[in-house]
Amino acid sequence: NVALCGKRVRLGTGLMLINKFRFPETYQAAAARVAELSDILQIQSVSRDSPSSHVGLQPGDRLHALNGLEVSSGPDALQTFITSFQKAAKLAESRKNPLRLEIFRGKLKRIFLLDPVKQCDVPYDVFQDNIVNAYADGRKIVVASGMMRFARRDADLAIVVGHEIAHNTMGHNDK
């Protein structure tokens, strides 16, 4: 609930993006081969009931342009896109205009108009460890891969993450 997030709010569309550079260098060739990733940003997942799901964006769609500006590729593509997206989303919100996202689905170029929504800005990290643990550090949520395997359903993991978000929201680490 955005009302509980205080000043930690951002605009979003429900997309998780990925390219081969999200992986350590030693795994990039495998990521390219097994997951069919390249240096081009593509959609990894689309959140249910999000602006992106409502317009029909799909995992595997490759990003081409945002508001007519070509999306960069390479190692810094994700951070560059996030910065550009946040600026474009704030401008779109102030003008009450949707974002224009051009993607490639296979060889077909498609254009989608997105209206970003306010959401809690909760950074997260996953670390490789068999331990069943998650914690909040006051800024982000950290989850061990063992916790992700332990959770039987997405709802189980959501309870854990929600609990950790509450720690950060209530400032428990500030004390």
Side-chain angles (χ1 to χ4, degrees), residues 18-28 31 35 37:
I18 193 168
N19 67 11
K20 70 178 185 180
F21 296 105
R22 294 285 311 269
F23 294 88
E25 189 173 349
T26 55
Y27 298 115
Q28 289 174 9
L37 298 176

Side-chain angles (χ1 to χ4, degrees), residues 27-130:
Y27 298 115
Q28 289 174 9
R33 186 177 62 256
V34 174
E36 299 180 3
L37 298 176
S38 68
D39 58 340
I40 298 169
L41 281 177
Q42 71 179 42
I43 298 173
Q44 179 180 17
S45 63
V46 179
S47 298
R48 185 178 47 214
D49 295 326
S50 68
S52 294
S53 72
H54 293 255
V55 299
L57 286 164
Q58 299 176 2
D61 289 344
R62 296 179 319 281
L63 276 58
H64 176 67
L66 176 64
N67 288 347
L69 300 174
E70 192 170 319
V71 173
S72 65
S73 58
D76 299 323
L78 182 61
Q79 192 55 49
T80 301
F81 180 80
I82 290 170
T83 301
S84 298
F85 172 84
Q86 287 301 317
K87 289 177 185 175
K90 286 178 184 174
L91 185 61
E93 181 185 43
S94 70
R95 294 182 178 171
K96 308 237 184 292
N97 289 331
L99 294 174
R100 185 176 188 267
L101 185 63
E102 296 175 41
I103 60 99
F104 279 100
R105 185 172 292 159
K107 293 182 179 181
L108 181 65
K109 184 192 272 188
R110 299 201 47 196
I111 297 171
F112 294 88
L113 300 178
L114 290 165
D115 289 312
V117 294
K118 289 183 180 178
Q119 60 188 33
C120 294
D121 186 9
V122 182
Y124 66 91
D125 199 5
V126 177
F127 67 97
Q128 297 297 318
D129 195 320
N130 288 330

Side-chain angles (χ1 to χ4, degrees), residues 115-161:
D115 289 312
V117 294
K118 289 183 180 178
Q119 60 188 33
C120 294
D121 186 9
V122 182
Y124 66 91
D125 199 5
V126 177
F127 67 97
Q128 297 297 318
D129 195 320
N130 288 330
I131 190 168
V132 178
N133 194 18
Y135 64 91
D137 69 2
R139 189 183 67 78
K140 67 181 176 195
I141 307 305
V142 182
V143 181
S145 57
M147 176 62 82
M148 296 175 74
R149 285 190 297 278
F150 179 77
R152 293 177 189 232
R153 301 170 300 147
D154 288 348
D156 297 333
L157 189 57
I159 290 168
V160 172
V161 171

